[in-house]
Amino acid sequence: MTLDAMTERIGDSLRIAPAFVASMVNTEVGVETTLEARYRRDKGRFVVFTVVNRAIDDEFDPEALRRATASPILRAAIPQCMAIDLERQFSDSQWVTVSDLAQREGRLLPDFVTREAVKRGAKQARMEAIQIVYGVNALAGLAPVKAVQEEFGVPHRTASDWIATARKGGWLEGMTYAVGRQAES
């Protein structure tokens, strides 16, 4: 995915690809899953509209088809389909993919960004960071409050308050998450 493909603006500092195709291979069960997803502004998330499962070896496990889900593929693909404008945090205006910001498995943001975001009075940096973490998870149909909690090491109440503040400030425009909704729907 290239930055040029990220043409859909969400808020003032976030762009996403309007659609993407992503694949994941599970060698343990011998299945490759490919999905196509499109961003739906009215739903505030990416919607999967095609899923194809393919056997990749003779030891294919037919039961694996029943266990194949889109969630891990979406979680891995969406950071590569999102770009944020870092102009507010750095002197050079530049768009960078969320996946380029990631430094460690299971984390979206580098340590310096999360440290800055949790500082008292760091409202701008916090809102930009919340926009990324919430956006990646909500657009994938995953629980964004839990992701904010884990990314920043804050209690559930704090994560919920930060998200509410970001929503009121317009930082989460075009992104929604309904509790209990499945990513594959």
Side-chain angles (χ1 to χ4, degrees):
M1 181 68 60
T2 66
L3 288 170
D4 291 337
M6 297 174 208
T7 58
E8 183 84 23
R9 290 188 72 85
I10 298 179
D12 61 348
S13 63
L14 189 64
R15 293 187 329 206
I16 63 170
F20 65 87
V21 175
S23 294
M24 186 174 280
V25 176
N26 185 334
T27 55
E28 289 180 20
V29 294
V31 175
E32 175 186 50
T33 302
T34 301
L35 64 82
E36 295 179 64
R38 289 187 193 132
Y39 173 68
R40 294 271 313 268
R41 188 169 291 275
D42 62 320
K43 294 192 179 282
R45 64 185 172 95
F46 282 98
V47 175
V48 175
F49 65 94
T50 304
V51 177
V52 177
N53 291 307
R54 180 177 72 84
I56 58 172
D57 62 35
D58 292 340
E59 301 299 317
F60 168 66
D61 177 3
E63 290 297 311
L65 292 177
R66 293 176 44 198
R67 296 186 302 270
T69 65
S71 295
I73 300 170
L74 288 170
R75 174 85 171 136
I78 287 175
Q80 297 177 48
C81 299
M82 296 178 70
I84 187 160
D85 184 0
L86 295 177
E87 178 178 314
R88 292 190 176 123
Q89 290 186 3
F90 303 102
S91 58
D92 296 341
S93 177
Q94 62 176 336
W95 286 91
V96 63
T97 66
V98 171
S99 64
D100 288 340
L101 286 176
Q103 291 182 333
R104 300 173 309 285
E105 188 174 320
R107 299 287 304 271
L108 289 173
L109 302 173
D111 286 336
F112 77 92
V113 174
T114 56
R115 277 194 307 270
E116 184 65 28
V118 298
K119 286 181 183 175
R120 185 178 218 70
K123 292 181 174 135
Q124 180 79 18
R126 182 177 303 138
M127 293 302 104
E128 289 175 353
I130 295 297
Q131 183 182 55
I132 294 168
V133 176
Y134 183 95
V136 167
N137 287 278
L139 292 171
L142 303 172
V145 176
K146 182 176 179 171
V148 169
Q149 257 185 278
E150 291 173 357
E151 189 74 28
F152 299 100
V154 297
H156 183 273
R157 172 75 185 223
T158 301
S160 295
D161 289 346
W162 286 358
I163 290 169
T165 301
R167 184 159 308 285
K168 286 177 192 170
W171 288 93
L172 305 181
E173 175 191 320
M175 298 177 275
T176 57
Y177 178 78
V179 175
R181 175 177 39 80
Q182 298 298 310
E184 294 85 12
S185 61

